[in-house]
Amino acid sequence: MDSLNWKILKSQYLVKDKWLALRADTYQTPDGQIVEPFYVFEYSTWVNVVALTKNQEVVLVEQYRHGIQQTVLELPGGCMEPEDISPLEAAKRELLEESGYTSENFLETGIISPNPATHNNSIHCFLAKNVELVADLKLDPTEIINVKLLPLDDLIQNIDSGILLQSFHLSSLFFALKKLGKLHFI
């Protein structure tokens, strides 16, 4: 076999709206097997920001997440909007909207896939250093957010207690800690 890629034979949208699309595809594997239906979720590109103040505090957002029916701490982030010209611009916008913080010092630290088996999108991870509070929150109608500052060392110390549940945010934190030279394995 030269390629492991599957060949799309048929594709049909079951759901298609502003936030996501769900496709049912029929594929043929390289060895000739037909896979039907195979569901694929289509989402826009997502961004996450590890935002650090001059005092080495991480800007976190506390909000309710209906999927797990809990209020959790997260990194600021969200979806790229049509007006965002790049993931960097989306990260700057999301950080400002959700926390009121911004910086002139953004660095893309990595790109991950939420679930390459069933999701078509990617997540761009950013580190913003020396962030400053410059604006009030500008939230979507369904967002109710409390902004929290937590010393970076406290976040690292408590990471295994489930202080951050979102796996994408843990990945973003991992990339940021690597860039900051704070990853230490024993």
Side-chain angles (χ1 to χ4, degrees):
M1 277 185 263
D2 292 332
S3 172
L4 298 177
N5 294 347
W6 293 1
K7 179 181 176 185
I8 299 174
L9 302 176
K10 183 173 78 172
S11 188
Q12 174 187 359
Y13 283 101
L14 305 176
V15 175
K16 193 167 187 168
D17 72 12
K18 177 181 177 180
W19 299 109
L20 77 96
L22 175 61
R23 270 189 357 242
D25 290 344
T26 302
Y27 285 103
Q28 183 176 19
T29 64
D31 64 0
Q33 293 182 61
I34 303 297
V35 179
E36 168 179 50
F38 191 92
Y39 298 105
V40 176
F41 291 95
E42 295 182 1
Y43 292 99
S44 63
T45 299
W46 296 336
V47 296
N48 292 326
V49 183
V50 175
L52 287 177
T53 67
K54 290 178 175 138
N55 295 328
Q56 295 299 291
E57 295 169 306
V58 182
V59 177
L60 299 169
V61 292
E62 180 183 53
Q63 60 185 323
Y64 176 76
R65 291 303 193 186
H66 190 67
I68 61 170
Q69 298 180 359
Q70 291 182 27
T71 298
V72 296
L73 279 176
E74 297 181 339
L75 299 173
C79 295
M80 276 188 71
E81 299 288 343
E83 68 270 10
D84 295 323
I85 60 172
S86 68
L88 173 61
E89 292 306 311
K92 289 179 178 181
R93 178 187 49 74
E94 285 287 344
L95 177 61
L96 186 62
E97 287 176 0
E98 291 189 355
S99 72
Y101 283 81
T102 193
S103 173
E104 294 298 319
N105 190 348
F106 275 76
L107 173 67
E108 187 168 9
T109 57
I111 300 172
I112 57 175
S113 171
N115 183 347
T118 59
H119 291 59
N120 73 331
N121 66 324
S122 60
I123 302 171
H124 293 254
C125 307
F126 290 89
L127 171 62
K129 297 195 294 190
N130 300 319
V131 298
E132 295 179 342
L133 183 61
V134 298
D136 292 331
L137 305 186
K138 184 180 173 191
L139 302 176
D140 293 334
T142 60
E143 290 179 316
I144 301 170
I145 290 177
N146 293 321
V147 178
K148 306 279 186 178
L149 298 179
L150 185 65
L152 178 60
D153 289 339
D154 289 358
L155 181 59
I156 294 168
Q157 185 68 30
N158 291 298
I159 202 67
D160 57 348
S161 71
I163 193 167
L164 292 180
L165 290 177
Q166 172 59 269
S167 59
F168 313 145
H169 296 188
L170 289 167
S171 298
S172 295
L173 180 61
F174 174 85
F175 287 136
L177 293 174
K178 183 177 181 213
K179 290 291 182 191
L180 293 167
K182 291 192 171 276
L183 276 185
H184 306 288
F185 297 100
I186 38 176

